[in-house]
Amino acid sequence: MSTEEQQSTPLFSELGLSAPILKAVQEAGYETPSPIQAQSIAPLLEGRDLLGQAQTGTGKTAAFSLPLLSRIDVKSKMPQMLVLAPTRELAIQVAEAIQSYARHMKGLHVLPIYGGQSMGIQLRQLQRNPQVIVGTPGRILDHIRRSTLKLGELKSLVLDEADEMLRMGFIDDVETILKETPDSRQVALFSATMPSAIHRVATRYLKDPVEIRIKSKTTTMETINQRYWQVTGMHKLDALTRILEVEEFDAMIIFVRTKNSTAELAEKLEARGYSSSPLNGDMNQAAREKAIERMKKGKLDILVATDVAARGLDIARMSHVVNYDIPYDTESYVHRIGRTGRAGRKGEAILFVSPREKRMLFAIEKATRQTIAKMQLPSTEDIADRRVMQFNQQLSETMEAQDLSFFEKVISDYQQEHNADPLEVAAALTYLVQKTRPLKPVKHVQERPARAERERGSRNERPERGDRERSPRRSNRSSEHKAEQGMQTYRVEVGRTHGVEVKNLVGAIANEAGIDSKDIGRISLQDSHSTIDLPEGMPKDLFQQLRKVWVCNKQLELSLMGAGEASSDDSSPRKPRRSGKPRSRPRDASRRPSTRRSNKPSSD
Ligand code: AMP
């Protein structure tokens, strides 16, 4: 590691956070504080006011939550911390994040309060004496005016995304709330930009604040070709898999935020056939060096790393850097992509950017003085072309290098015995060879707007909202339900009693069968089973594969609904045969895939 790349980032354990908070941070897999956390935590713990210029994705939620939670007295049942956020979504997400950081603080209650939710529910929840309230300004002010929210004991007030609150016309409400809080409270104001109205609020209400601004040096990186993919319409893992299929790469480093994600992602890539290893600060020096050595020698192609573990890494064959999770600041982006393009070689850098992280993208472009080109994901056709090309190459290599005389005899005997067309025999063999990795991957039937990834954006460590149901048009009785056009309703034999949640089904179907999350429609959880809408015309192989997927210790045993909840055999989607030649097939074929005779490849 070069000394210029060594930074003196403090450890979380050195910052004076309370023990329960530290434990939660460790469990979350955070390795080191992000720059904004490194600068905010100590002054906030001291009770100082803070003015932070930071946007989403910098880790600012933890930057204020960890120290302010550490200062809460759980024995007191009065609101002690209030966070104002511009939107209901943000209020919920921040409340969820705070809840997870506070999970070892026994007796601590966090309550999100926002407009649109029933007052009655909120009043009942307020009676449970939450110490932390996260809300939108309008509704918080309502409660203050009705005296249903008392802020006399408030220790801290956070204004999150203050410029957004200004833009949405909340600034007067925010000022009124500020005036309603005791003089002794500390205030932390975060804003991505500092328009004059925000500056005025800061000067009026913040006392001698610590000012934090993550500065960015400009650097040019001419040997590195930079691209970004806007996270929409599919899971990041699916997008990454597509890129891996088509991109010519020698060695790749993929950056994620947490230690846990390094292991999870490396495992998933390994399962998809890529030799991958995590690289994180939890691994001892020997294990890290071993992974790096294997990478250098070409025994490993992908490292999934955190910033800390990859600092200073110098591997000449590193052709690609993928920023799977966007970095916290421009400087760490520059460090990350500097792992490629070493020793005058050319390098490729790919960045995943969710809509909420766009500002960081602009900041990076400014800091690197380069525009980052938007990239399209490889299409199913691109993947098919690539797979066919690889297959052809393997075929040529095998014919050249292998002694095939025994196999030639097997095939020639078969051909003579069955009077078969050699081309058809070769086609059948090709089909068998490509079954687990089809030369023509499944093409999704419909293009519909993405749901899952859109809202989550940079908050991908947090649980998805609305977890019980994917669609607001929820139906508990399957008989009432009619699938959207282009979709079919399937039944799976796992339900609430097995502990299943919507996210388990989406995850299993998206990951195991490679169906885009956007192609997964309405999911309805019942007690003993669930129903799920999937695109019409599912290829038979995929159907068989999905039947066997395990979720909550149960196989899905997928079957198509309708026709009196037909059995799986009748419900198995069919494809017309290519040739007119009749072929016998065991009637119970779909139940016995291992003994089944070969089918023609499905045509999509
Ligand atoms: P925020 O900027 O607060 O929206 O946070 C963005 C994402 O970064 C969230 O998914 C957090 O869980 C994650 N995060 C925050 N702090 C850290 C950290 N120190 N290490 C790794 N991930 C973090």
Side-chain angles (χ1 to χ4, degrees), residues 291-301 315 317:
I292 294 167
E293 226 16 65
R294 287 181 63 220
M295 186 84 166
K296 284 186 175 160
K297 289 193 175 134
K299 292 185 182 152
L300 192 69
D301 293 329
I315 298 177
R317 62 183 280 260

Side-chain angles (χ1 to χ4, degrees), residues 12 25 28-37 54-64 66 90 93-94 97 100-101 160-161 256-259 306-307 325-326 328 356-357 456-462:
F12 274 112
V25 168
Y30 297 177
E31 216 156 46
T32 45
S34 72
I36 188 129
Q37 291 163 2
Q55 63 249 359
T56 303
T58 50
K60 70 175 155 55
T61 315
F64 64 76
L66 305 180
L90 189 63
Q93 284 170 350
V94 169
S100 75
Y101 298 134
D160 197 6
E161 303 201 353
V256 294
R257 289 215 154 152
T258 66
K259 293 181 270 193
T306 52
D307 288 287
D325 293 334
I326 200 163
Y328 303 113
R356 290 187 67 89
E357 294 162 343
R456 249 179 313 168
S458 65
R459 296 159 206 278
N460 55 2
E461 304 292 331
R462 296 177 198 158

Side-chain angles (χ1 to χ4, degrees), residues 468-477 480-481 496 522-525:
R468 278 164 70 85
E469 288 294 328
R470 271 178 75 79
S471 162
R473 292 154 297 155
R474 170 183 176 188
S475 155
N476 269 333
R477 275 163 298 157
E480 277 179 9
H481 166 73
R496 288 203 190 96
R522 175 167 21 199
I523 293 179
S524 176
L525 301 182

